């Protein structure tokens, strides 16, 4: 010591001992915080690898049952389902037909693992031939998604998903008024018990690239900036979530997660009492995987750090393609104690 009587607060005293460090960890990531996204495709007889998302596949209904069992076994509480129908059309009619790919997927999962929580993504883009999240209409010479016509279709879809047994419905289309229309439609049809997880602050992000290949939902023309949020806006996310809460959203979500931690934090500060989720999207996953494959980063360390940061910012649970890898890592950590 240069000045022997000078009292120094030594924060390092709390960092040296691994047990103490662990005990004092403010954010604890657990397998029960994780939801795994799954893609189910109708017209295939064998699962197809998604090249930009190593370890992920477009699944058949048969694979889905195996997958569900594995997920359940790992202690992951639930999945979010995306369906890819055999036929797409301008209004995405496959989404609300009885016996559609999602209804059959729900039935299959419930048969093998009735306890697994099933969230269904509610959107038109996987079902429309043009790849947009609703019905297209021309407005002043420009194609746009017709808000109110799309709402009617979403209501039909939601009822079909609830009828099939979805535990939670997650509308992701960023169509204005979708939460109130869906709440009314579900309540009227007798599904008052089905919660709505709103993709409340969903950005027009370039991080969705691999997903759009996986879900075969690349917009055939234009982009989604006419309905998804501008990445430059943070305060607007508060308007979005306030409206969704007024309309009856049960859970809010921010998407993507890693580069929108400020948005997660702001929403948590404004509405600490409302459950908040975040979606670590396909591009976030793919970047970590690709860098790890090159040997440039340590995959599991970066994965756990990124998930912990999302939770630290204020997300209560995380939708992530890393759910299975993280579950394995977390149980190894527990076993090592
Ligand atoms: C559907 C939807 C998308 C994602 C989730 N739901 C794609 C999009 O908005 O284009 C993206 C998820 C990901 O990138 O992992 N609207």
């Amino acid at each position: 010591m240069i000045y022997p009587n000078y009292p120094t607060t030594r924060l390092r005293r709390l960092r040296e001992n691994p047990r103490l460090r662990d005990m004092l960890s403010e954010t604890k990531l657990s397998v029960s915080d994780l939801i795994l996204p799954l893609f189910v495709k109708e017209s295939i007889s064998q699962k197809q690898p998604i090249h930009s998302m190593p370890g992920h596949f477009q699944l058949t209904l048969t694979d889905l049952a195996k997958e569900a069992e594995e997920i359940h076994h790992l202690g992951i509480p639930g999945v979010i389902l995306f369906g890819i129908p055999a036929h797409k059309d301008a209004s995405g009619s496959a989404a609300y037909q009885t016996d559609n790919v999602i209804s059959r997927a729900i039935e299959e999962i419930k048969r093998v693992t009735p306890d697994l929580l099933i969230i269904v993504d509610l959107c038109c883009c996987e079902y429309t031939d043009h790849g947009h999240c609703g019905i297209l209409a021309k407005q002043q010479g420009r194609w746009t998604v017709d808000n109110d016509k799309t709402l009617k279709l979403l209501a039909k879809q939601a009822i079909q998903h609830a009828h099939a047994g979805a535990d939670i419905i997650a509308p992701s289309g960023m169509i204005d008024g979708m939460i109130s229309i869906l709440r009314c439609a579900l309540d009227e049809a007798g599904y008052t018990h089905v919660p709505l997880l709103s993709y409340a602050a969903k950005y027009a992000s370039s991080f969705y690239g691999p997903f759009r290949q996986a879900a075969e939902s690349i917009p055939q023309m234009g982009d989604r900036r006419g309905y998804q949020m501008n990445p430059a806006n943070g305060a607007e996310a508060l308007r979005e979530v306030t409206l969704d809460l007024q309309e009856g959203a049960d859970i809010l979500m921010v998407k993507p997660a890693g580069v929108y931690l400020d948005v997660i934090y702001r929403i948590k500060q404004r509405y600490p009492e409302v459950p908040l989720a975040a979606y670590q999207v396909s591009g976030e996953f793919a970047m970590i995987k690709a860098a790890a494959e090159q040997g440039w980063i340590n995959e599991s360390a970066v994965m756990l750090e990124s998930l912990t940061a999302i939770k630290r910012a204020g997300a209560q649970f995380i939708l992530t393609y890393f759910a299975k890898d993280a579950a394995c890592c977390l149980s190894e950590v527990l076993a090592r104690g």
Side-chain angles (χ1 to χ4, degrees):
M1 255 318 203
I2 314 168
Y3 306 104
N5 298 323
Y6 186 77
T8 314
T9 303
R10 289 191 180 268
L11 291 174
R12 289 185 53 190
R13 279 195 283 260
L14 304 178
R15 293 184 192 136
E16 300 278 6
N17 181 319
R19 300 249 172 222
L20 186 59
R21 197 165 58 220
D22 222 41
M23 203 172 80
L24 298 181
S25 170
E26 292 172 34
T27 308
K28 291 201 161 86
L29 187 69
S30 134
V31 60
S32 61
D33 302 327
L34 309 173
I35 295 286
L36 181 69
L38 293 178
F39 301 94
V40 203
K41 185 167 174 178
E42 205 162 32
S43 57
I44 49 173
S45 52
Q46 261 185 14
K47 65 179 181 182
Q48 305 289 321
I50 303 164
H51 297 294
S52 50
M53 299 171 70
H56 287 270
F57 297 85
Q58 292 177 325
L59 301 169
T60 65
L61 287 167
T62 324
D63 300 319
L64 192 64
K66 277 182 258 159
E67 186 73 20
E69 275 179 331
E70 188 190 335
I71 293 164
H72 188 54
H73 184 70
L74 285 167
I76 296 167
V79 294
I80 179 162
L81 296 181
F82 297 94
I84 307 148
H87 299 290
K88 301 190 180 205
D89 59 25
S91 66
S93 61
Y96 47 85
Q97 273 154 13
T98 49
D99 206 30
N100 66 17
V101 59
I102 288 294
S103 304
R104 282 159 51 210
I106 296 171
E107 194 184 325
E108 195 60 15
I109 297 175
K110 290 282 176 198
R111 190 175 60 79
V112 287
T113 52
D115 294 340
L116 201 66
L117 202 58
I118 303 181
I119 306 175
V120 174
D121 179 88
L122 174 62
C123 195
C124 297
C125 63
E126 298 113 73
Y127 301 92
T128 51
D129 51 11
H130 45 70
H132 276 285
C133 301
I135 296 274
L136 288 185
K138 232 180 189 154
Q139 207 177 55
Q140 289 158 346
R142 210 185 293 149
W143 286 104
T144 178
V145 166
D146 184 311
N147 201 82
D148 297 3
K149 276 193 190 142
T150 303
L151 287 177
K152 288 199 189 109
L153 292 186
L154 291 178
K156 273 166 83 171
Q157 256 191 70
I159 291 170
Q160 179 54 35
H161 294 327
H163 179 68
D167 294 305
I168 299 179
I169 291 180
S172 66
M174 292 299 279
I175 307 299
D176 284 324
M178 66 183 182
I179 299 300
S180 53
I181 289 284
L182 294 174
R183 190 68 272 158
C184 287
L186 287 169
D187 288 357
E188 220 166 79
Y191 299 109
T192 50
H193 58 284
V194 178
L196 287 171
L197 186 172
S198 176
Y199 283 70
K202 176 174 174 180
Y203 286 87
S205 168
S206 300
F207 285 87
Y208 306 150
F211 171 95
R212 290 183 188 166
Q213 285 170 12
E216 300 175 8
S217 63
I218 303 168
Q220 296 304 301
M221 68 233 194
D223 54 43
R224 302 205 207 288
R225 284 181 292 183
Y227 38 102
Q228 297 179 348
M229 281 181 62
N230 178 351
N233 296 354
E236 189 191 348
L238 297 174
R239 287 190 82 187
E240 281 284 1
V241 301
T242 302
L243 281 170
D244 279 3
L245 287 174
Q246 285 165 359
E247 290 181 29
D250 300 284
I251 307 173
L252 300 170
M253 183 151 72
V254 174
K255 179 185 160 195
V259 287
Y260 293 88
L261 294 183
D262 58 321
V263 177
I264 297 173
Y265 183 77
R266 282 166 88 158
I267 295 173
K268 196 65 203 170
Q269 295 301 304
R270 177 73 72 93
Y271 295 111
E273 69 282 19
V274 179
L276 179 62
Y279 198 142
Q280 183 183 50
V281 300
S282 56
E284 299 178 72
F285 170 81
M287 288 195 309
I288 295 175
K289 278 279 175 193
E293 265 170 27
Q294 296 286 329
W296 293 339
I297 57 171
N298 174 332
E299 180 174 335
S300 48
V302 172
M303 164 186 79
L304 291 177
E305 186 176 332
S306 67
L307 293 169
T308 303
I310 295 166
K311 202 172 168 195
R312 189 192 63 230
Q316 217 164 320
F317 66 97
I318 306 166
L319 287 68
T320 174
Y321 302 95
F322 279 121
K324 287 204 288 186
D325 303 315
C328 293
C329 274
L330 291 168
S331 60
E332 273 171 31
V333 172
L334 275 182
R336 261 188 275 124

